[in-house]
Amino acid sequence: MSDNRPALGVGMVGYAFMGRVHSQAWRSVDAFFDLPVAPVMAVLSGRSEDRTAAAAAQLGWAAVEHDWKELIKRDDVDIVDVCTPGDSHAEIAIAALEAGKHVLCEKPLANTVAEAEAMATAAERAAERGVRSMVAFNYRRVPAVALARRFVAEGRLGEIRHVRAQYLQDWIVDPEFPLVWRLQRDKAGSGALGDIGSHIVDTAQFVTGQKLTGVSALTATFIGERPMAEESEGLAAGAGEAGGTGTVTVDDAAVFIGRLSGGGLASFEATRFAAGRKNAMRIEVNGSLGSLSFDFEAMNELWFHDHTLPAEEAGFRRIYVTESGHPYAGAWWPPGHGLGYEHTFSHEVKDFLEAIGNGTDPEPSFADGLRVQRVLAAVEQSAANESRWTPVTE
């Protein structure tokens, strides 16, 4: 690793759950990967002066700004990392791109298709000036998921016929859990659909290399009123002392079927009411020559079935994705020493910095994020229209 590498200052907006995990990625990435540029954790921005200062000291940021607009103006900021709720993604990302800053933006890209379209347009214009942008679908960077994509691209599954994807959580099963921002449409855009459904849509399209062309959907809100939240951090929250309740304005769960651009069938389920499931992001792909299966609750494992083998030998076999030849894994520990959730963000940042340093366009792009947003919009439209088949617009 050369000491003559250009340094790139990072300014991050938001310091809560995503801010913490992104900070871990910025801290660790340069120690484990041979990067063409050197990231510098320059500035952290947040609305609360005390909490932002405390987070900066704890997470390793050199300076603090309490207005993200001032962060963007700083000469020591080359990259803006957007870790805020979805209602502010478009404003921050577009302003940063227009100011010539590279942008990494958390998912889903925006709260509406119109916002995502504006962001994708701004990203396309910025790319003409060498300014890069990427949306943070971190599950693409799980080594086992990246290996699944490799298997499909190599033709080992043959013609893709089925995809079934689930994202199952249970953190709001309790009706007394407070009304946090993720349960309010004006801040989150949608509920389980956008928060975790966006991940399985992107993962399915990434692994198969195909697009969803249409959907038929159902959504449900199981608990319509919740105690007002006093404060929240990540997926935890406390109820306010003043009491009172507020209305949940997003979906609690979404299920939908779809068709892939290659003709295959797909089914999706996203819920935060699957009691006992903490973070079960699952995908299974069935093809003419084989199948693969992944569950994030066993994130270092990929299950693969080679249907070309004789029946006496055939069946799913476990691949423990920790070998040096597996995607990303060789940069970390000896074989058999598994990785965790936080490593996916280090891989994300690594790929982003390599693209910036090498002058290439990173993936997933804002255009990819817009494509996912259009699928989410089609799901909501279908669910509001008696599950009528709804094409995904291009």
Side-chain angles (χ1 to χ4, degrees), residues 13 49 78 85 167 216 266 320:
V13 187
E49 293 189 14
D78 304 289
Y167 204 144
S216 174
Y320 199 52

Side-chain angles (χ1 to χ4, degrees), residues 44-56:
L44 178 66
S45 176
R47 288 174 295 185
S48 167
E49 293 189 14
D50 292 343
R51 291 184 180 182
T52 305

Side-chain angles (χ1 to χ4, degrees), residues 1-8 30 33-40:
M1 196 179 298
S2 171
D3 293 333
N4 297 322
R5 295 173 301 155
L8 293 180
D30 204 29
F33 293 95
D34 187 8
L35 300 171
V37 296
V40 177

Side-chain angles (χ1 to χ4, degrees), residues 230-366:
E230 182 175 59
E231 59 181 1
S232 64
E233 177 77 17
L235 301 185
E241 293 182 1
T245 63
T247 302
V248 175
T249 51
V250 299
D251 59 278
D252 285 332
V255 294
F256 54 101
I257 57 173
R259 187 177 294 278
L260 296 168
S261 53
L265 303 181
S267 63
F268 298 83
E269 180 182 9
T271 180
R272 301 187 288 211
F273 275 76
R277 301 298 182 191
K278 297 303 176 184
N279 204 46
M281 197 285 285
R282 303 166 170 175
I283 184 168
E284 180 170 314
V285 182
N286 307 130
S288 59
L289 300 179
S291 297
L292 56 83
S293 179
F294 169 79
D295 184 342
F296 186 74
E297 290 188 344
M299 69 167 284
N300 292 289
E301 301 176 6
L302 179 67
W303 289 81
F304 176 67
H305 164 65
D306 185 346
H307 202 65
T308 66
L309 294 176
E312 294 80 4
E313 302 176 30
F316 275 94
R317 61 183 175 88
R318 187 189 74 148
I319 303 171
Y320 199 52
V321 191
T322 62
E323 297 293 327
S324 60
H326 288 144
Y328 306 107
W332 297 97
W333 322 124
H337 294 69
L339 302 186
Y341 174 71
E342 73 277 11
H343 293 91
T344 66
F345 293 88
S346 296
H347 302 159
E348 177 178 272
V349 167
K350 171 256 190 192
D351 288 346
F352 187 49
L353 291 172
E354 285 183 342
I356 294 172
N358 297 329
T360 58
D361 292 323
E363 294 181 349
S365 65
F366 277 20

Side-chain angles (χ1 to χ4, degrees), residues 53-69:
Q58 182 183 41
L59 301 176
W61 295 91
V64 170
E65 290 284 359
H66 302 298
D67 184 342
W68 61 262
K69 295 178 182 178

